[in-house]
Amino acid sequence: MNKKEFLQKRLNGIEYIQPERCALCKNCCICGSCSVLPMDIEPFTVENVMSEIKVGKYSVSLEVLPNGNIFSDIHVRECGSNIIDIYKPHTKCDMLKENGCSLSKESRPIMALAVVPGFPCRNMISDKEYFQMWLVQQHTMEQVVKICSEGKSPLQLMLEHFDEVAMEIYGVLLNKTIARDYSDSYMASVVSGENLYEKIIRIANSQGTTDRIIERLVDLESNVQTFLQDSNGHNLAKRMLRPYAYRMLDKHPLYASSEEKIAACLKYNKMYV
């Protein structure tokens, strides 16, 4: 079944796309780009995928599934996107122009054509269907990823991502800047068996800033005022400290002082990092 036949069957012959209405709203496109289905690239071959990527139309996404496997798919390129995006914060679709989507109706991905405008908009393709369609194309996508990354495997790229995120978080903690949402990268690291907390502490140890980093993490986790100022930082600190360093406490973290928490972190670092 090709793209046209699939849309005809799924939408029962109804064309939901409303260019004028969408051009006035733009909310979906401002918040991120459309995902792509394999049927959008016919035939779905490494060569055809690469030709779409090279002209700047699409980017590859990598993520870690709950079972630990790495999953790759394709989305329309966003502003500031790389050829390969790994848990990149969403930005405006690069195809969004003043008068709406710059792609013709025929070249728009299925995930755009299957949107029913509303408040909120609704997509006629379920997450389960989307996943299943891409799952059968993972072998092809592995080859695409290797070409885009000059020979690196999806696993290599994901491990490099965790190292880069650890360095980025270290800078945020050191400079006491507001953190972005790292929850997706953090959960992916847990599933992958990578310990972001230990990575950050190793960086701090090498820079002689361990005490400052621990104090900042404990402050983010336990200080109500800091939580109100930086909720992402609070959530990150809580996720990193409670399963690891706070195991060294002899009481529940809610009842421990900042000094006791810092001491627990130092003890954990000495024993495990």
Side-chain angles (χ1 to χ4, degrees):
M1 186 182 301
N2 61 31
K3 175 179 178 178
K4 184 176 180 180
E5 293 168 339
F6 176 82
L7 283 168
Q8 182 73 17
K9 182 177 180 180
R10 176 51 54 91
L11 304 181
N12 295 317
I14 300 173
E15 187 174 292
Y16 287 104
I17 188 169
Q18 299 178 26
E20 295 80 11
R21 179 178 179 179
C22 293
L24 288 173
C25 175
K26 302 179 183 176
N27 281 342
C28 293
C29 307
I30 289 172
C31 294
S33 66
C34 292
S35 296
V36 174
L37 289 178
M39 276 184 286
D40 287 305
I41 304 174
E42 298 177 330
F44 193 83
T45 63
V46 173
E47 293 74 20
N48 284 346
V49 173
M50 288 306 305
S51 68
E52 297 282 16
I53 290 173
K54 287 177 180 177
V55 298
K57 183 178 178 182
Y58 296 148
S59 292
V60 176
S61 293
L62 288 183
E63 63 179 297
V64 180
L65 299 177
N67 63 7
N69 291 333
I70 298 176
F71 176 80
S72 57
D73 58 2
I74 293 172
H75 61 274
V76 177
R77 192 157 300 183
E78 296 178 352
C79 295
S81 278
N82 297 308
I83 293 176
I84 299 178
D85 290 332
I86 305 178
Y87 296 117
K88 167 192 165 293
H90 285 294
T91 55
K92 181 174 75 72
C93 178
D94 200 39
M95 301 298 154
L96 177 63
K97 307 303 177 187
E98 185 177 347
N99 295 321
C101 183
S102 60
L103 297 174
S104 67
K105 186 181 75 173
E106 292 73 21
S107 61
R108 294 181 190 185
I110 293 172
M111 296 296 283
L113 297 172
V115 167
V116 180
F119 302 98
C121 299
R122 179 170 57 93
N123 202 294
M124 302 293 283
I125 314 295
S126 69
D127 291 343
K128 182 178 180 180
E129 286 178 294
Y130 179 88
F131 174 78
Q132 289 174 337
M133 291 181 194
W134 273 111
L135 196 60
V136 298
Q137 299 294 351
Q138 290 305 290
H139 178 68
T140 300
M141 288 303 298
E142 284 182 20
Q143 298 176 63
V144 169
V145 169
K146 284 189 175 181
I147 294 172
C148 292
S149 63
E150 299 182 345
K152 294 179 182 179
S153 69
L155 177 59
Q156 285 176 289
L157 291 173
M158 191 59 67
L159 293 177
E160 287 179 3
H161 169 73
F162 295 140
D163 288 340
E164 291 167 1
V165 167
M167 182 60 77
E168 184 179 323
I169 293 172
Y170 168 76
V172 168
L173 296 172
L174 185 67
N175 300 311
K176 296 185 178 181
T177 52
I178 303 299
R180 65 176 176 86
D181 186 358
Y182 292 101
S183 56
D184 288 338
S185 290
Y186 176 79
M187 293 308 299
S189 72
V190 172
V191 172
S192 302
E194 295 290 301
N195 191 317
L196 274 183
Y197 172 73
E198 292 183 5
K199 286 179 180 290
I200 293 165
I201 295 301
R202 289 192 192 102
I203 296 169
N205 289 344
S206 70
Q207 300 297 316
T209 56
T210 309
D211 289 351
R212 290 170 61 187
I213 294 302
I214 290 174
E215 287 171 7
R216 179 58 177 170
L217 279 168
V218 170
D219 186 53
L220 282 168
E221 185 273 338
S222 58
N223 188 316
V224 175
Q225 184 176 356
T226 308
F227 164 66
L228 294 173
Q229 295 170 346
D230 187 358
S231 59
N232 286 330
H234 166 77
N235 291 331
L236 179 66
K238 181 173 67 175
R239 283 175 164 170
M240 289 199 297
L241 292 174
R242 293 190 178 181
Y244 302 111
Y246 284 3
R247 290 185 302 172
M248 302 292 105
L249 290 168
D250 57 6
K251 62 183 72 173
H252 193 282
L254 286 175
Y255 305 110
S257 66
S258 295
E259 290 75 17
E260 289 172 318
K261 291 178 177 180
I262 290 171
C265 292
L266 292 172
K267 184 177 179 181
Y268 178 88
N269 297 349
K270 185 175 181 180
M271 293 178 64
Y272 298 108
V273 179

